């Protein structure tokens, strides 16, 4: 039985779409349909109900899906075992990863350098997007692994919380010289934060609302680079992850501002799909956890209290 045909069937069922499965495996939709047809011919049973445009499995398709999962898992185990010897060739690690810009500017670049030094064959397909887009792409199978402010949910999808990022107010080092700012001080300035409805945007408004203050003006901006350029130009104070600010401040005239009330931290969640065809996502995720000092995916960690409890 052709492994590629079984894998094609698995992803069609998992993603509930021939076109999305074709995108996942980097083949055309017609090639995907041909693989499914060849598998049906070999098994002597229809696997997909093609009577209308709605995705539907036949009874035979439902039964074979269980076998397909076992076959692919066994295939992965055999490859791992046979390639684990001392003289085995090093495996190329290739993964489609999506991140929010806060992750990109905080630890991702250093981690990529680390991965390249420990695995020269490491190959990266990187997407930098907002959390809603990344969540949707993981659900559709367009990404293998995403780091976003919200977890994904759905069949065969998994999520794990990473340590939240400390958020700070950021100003121009020559324009914002007070040793300590109150919320009342900041309410008089132009404030820059992430896009409307995002966790930093909502948390900032809540912070001032709880203090009984009304900010002069809050600008919603989806790009850290744009926010930093506006701060550089003397246009307001931004809310950004401290780790990103410390990196950027090495070459730009910006600095974190001391404030009487801390900002709520930015949550970060890793999301991925259980994949019996490959363990690469888990391997890379464990490498991330190891690099940032977090127990790996199999370990239990106590739940930390956040703004939402």
């Amino acid at each position: 039985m052709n492994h590629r045909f079984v894998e094609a069937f698995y992803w069609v069922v998992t993603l509930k779409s021939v076109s999305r499965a074709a995108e996942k495996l980097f083949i055309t939709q017609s090639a995907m349909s041909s693989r499914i047809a060849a598998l049906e011919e070999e098994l002597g049973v229809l696997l997909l109900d093609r009577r209308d445009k709605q995705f539907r499995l036949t009874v035979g398709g439902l039964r074979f899906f269980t076998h397909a999962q076992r076959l692919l898992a066994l295939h992965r185990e055999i490859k791992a075992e046979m390639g684990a010897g001392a003289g085995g060739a090093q495996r190329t690690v290739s993964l489609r990863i999506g991140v929010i810009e806060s992750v990109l500017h905080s630890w991702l670049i250093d981690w990529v350098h680390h991965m390249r030094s420990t695995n020269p064959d490491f190959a990266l397909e990187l997407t930098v997007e907002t959390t809603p887009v990344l969540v949707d792409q993981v659900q559709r199978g367009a990404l293998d692994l995403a780091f976003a402010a919200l977890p994904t949910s759905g069949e065969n999808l998994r999520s794990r919380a990473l340590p939240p990022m400390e958020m700070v107010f950021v100003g121009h080092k020559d324009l914002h010289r007070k040793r300590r700012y109150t919320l009342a001080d900041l309410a008089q300035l132009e404030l820059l934060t992430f896009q409307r409805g995002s966790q930093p945007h909502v948390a900032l408004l809540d912070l001032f609302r709880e203090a009984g203050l009304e900010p002069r003006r809050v600008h919603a901006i989806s790009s850290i680079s744009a926010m930093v350029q506006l701060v550089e130009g003397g246009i307001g104070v931004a809310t950004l992850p401290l780790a990103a600010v410390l990196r950027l401040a090495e070459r730009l005239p910006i600095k974190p501002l001391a404030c009487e009330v801390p900002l709520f931290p930015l949550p970060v969640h890793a999301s991925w799909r259980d994949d019996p065809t490959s363990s690469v996502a888990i391997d890379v995720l464990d490498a991330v956890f190891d690099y940032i000092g977090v127990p790996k995916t199999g370990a239990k960690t106590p739940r930390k209290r956040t703004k939402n409890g």
Side-chain angles (χ1 to χ4, degrees):
M1 184 172 295
N2 191 307
H3 170 262
R4 291 183 303 162
F5 298 170
V6 177
E7 183 181 31
F9 173 72
Y10 170 82
W11 285 112
V12 167
V13 177
T14 299
L15 300 177
K16 296 180 172 59
S17 166
V18 172
S19 59
R20 290 178 187 172
E23 180 183 359
K24 162 74 179 174
L25 297 180
F26 303 102
I27 62 176
T28 64
Q29 188 169 337
S30 60
M32 177 64 73
S33 297
S34 296
R35 291 186 182 185
I36 300 300
L39 184 61
E40 289 176 324
E41 183 176 354
E42 181 178 359
L43 294 172
V45 64
L46 289 177
L47 302 174
L48 302 181
D49 188 338
R50 297 177 175 81
R51 288 178 296 181
D52 53 44
K53 293 184 178 180
Q54 184 177 357
F55 179 84
R56 190 180 293 112
L57 282 174
T58 64
V59 173
L62 285 168
R63 291 174 58 193
F64 182 68
F65 183 62
T66 300
H67 296 301
Q69 290 175 295
R70 290 181 188 164
L71 286 168
L72 294 172
L74 180 60
H75 183 266
R76 186 182 74 183
E77 290 173 13
I78 292 171
K79 285 183 65 177
E81 181 179 340
M82 298 303 293
Q90 189 169 20
R91 182 170 53 120
T92 299
V93 176
S94 180
L95 199 68
R96 299 172 301 171
I97 298 179
V99 300
I100 52 177
E101 204 176 357
S102 294
V103 168
L104 173 69
H105 286 280
S106 297
W107 53 261
L108 185 78
I109 294 173
D110 288 340
W111 173 75
V112 170
H113 280 300
H114 172 73
M115 284 293 290
R116 284 168 57 85
S117 66
T118 57
N119 189 334
D121 294 326
F122 175 65
L124 177 67
E125 293 182 39
L126 181 65
T127 297
V128 182
E129 269 293 356
T130 60
T131 287
V133 173
L134 295 177
V135 168
D136 177 67
Q137 290 187 345
V138 172
Q139 291 173 334
R140 293 192 297 106
L143 289 174
D144 302 307
L145 178 62
F147 296 94
L150 293 173
T152 57
S153 60
E155 188 177 0
N156 296 324
L157 292 171
R158 300 289 180 267
S159 291
R160 170 84 187 276
L162 276 70
M165 292 184 179
E166 181 180 353
M167 297 288 290
V168 293
F169 290 101
V170 183
H172 193 290
K173 68 177 185 179
D174 296 326
L175 300 177
H176 302 100
R177 296 187 171 184
K178 291 190 69 168
R179 302 183 82 180
R180 192 172 187 83
Y181 284 80
T182 66
L183 284 182
D185 293 331
L186 294 168
Q188 302 306 310
L189 304 174
E190 305 258 344
L191 298 175
L192 316 168
T193 190
F194 289 92
Q195 63 270 22
R196 190 173 302 278
S198 65
Q199 187 273 352
H201 181 270
V202 172
L204 180 66
L205 296 181
D206 286 347
L207 189 66
F208 282 97
R209 188 178 299 115
E210 291 170 4
L213 296 170
E214 185 69 30
R216 172 185 169 192
R217 188 172 295 113
V218 177
H219 301 280
I221 301 169
S222 62
S223 164
I224 286 182
S225 299
M227 274 193 273
V228 169
Q229 288 185 51
L230 289 169
V231 171
E232 266 193 282
I235 304 173
V237 167
T239 67
L240 294 171
L242 176 60
V245 176
L246 295 178
R247 289 180 63 96
L248 294 168
E250 294 176 0
R251 55 185 176 83
L252 300 173
I254 64 173
K255 67 175 184 179
L257 305 180
C259 180
E260 62 175 357
V261 180
L263 288 164
F264 289 109
L266 175 66
V268 180
H269 297 268
S271 296
W272 69 98
R273 184 180 294 278
D274 273 349
D275 183 358
T277 69
S278 173
S279 63
V280 172
I282 294 297
D283 293 342
V284 171
L285 192 57
D286 282 345
V288 169
F289 288 158
D290 183 63
Y291 180 75
I292 63 178
V294 177
K296 296 183 180 181
T297 52
K300 299 289 186 180
T301 54
R303 183 183 176 190
K304 293 184 178 180
R305 194 175 186 275
T306 64
K307 175 178 180 289
N308 296 321

